[in-house]
Amino acid sequence: CHIYHQQELNCYHFHLHNNDGTGDSHGDFYQGSMDMNSIFESIEKHCHSNVTFTIEARECASCAKWLKEKGYI
């Protein structure tokens, strides 16, 4: 990603999963130490509206459920 004017990120695609801080565990959005709500809020606020995502969690179905509950899909 490239930051322009400290407001807009020039990002068009993200590979998303959560981790617990000890390694690259590829946890689902419900698990781990990352605040996925804040991450998605920042993406909405600072990235282009046509941004895309790849879910890289070991349990993709639970991530899809989380995204649906939050209104992203």
Side-chain angles (χ1 to χ4, degrees):
C1 297
H2 301 287
I3 300 175
Y4 294 100
H5 307 293
Q6 301 297 326
Q7 295 296 318
E8 185 174 314
L9 296 174
N10 190 24
C11 297
Y12 293 93
H13 187 77
F14 290 89
H15 291 240
L16 296 170
H17 56 88
N18 208 331
N19 291 304
D20 62 7
T22 63
D24 197 13
S25 61
H26 287 255
D28 66 30
F29 296 168
Y30 294 102
Q31 299 174 332
S33 59
M34 296 172 59
D35 181 352
M36 298 306 287
N37 287 312
S38 293
I39 290 169
F40 275 89
E41 287 171 8
S42 293
I43 290 170
E44 280 189 316
K45 183 176 180 181
H46 298 290
C47 295
H48 298 277
S49 61
N50 61 345
V51 67
T52 58
F53 306 96
T54 298
I55 297 173
E56 288 195 345
R58 298 189 194 288
E59 299 294 331
C60 292
S62 64
C63 292
K65 180 181 174 187
W66 186 93
L67 289 167
K68 187 173 182 178
E69 288 173 356
K70 303 296 181 180
Y72 293 110
I73 60 172

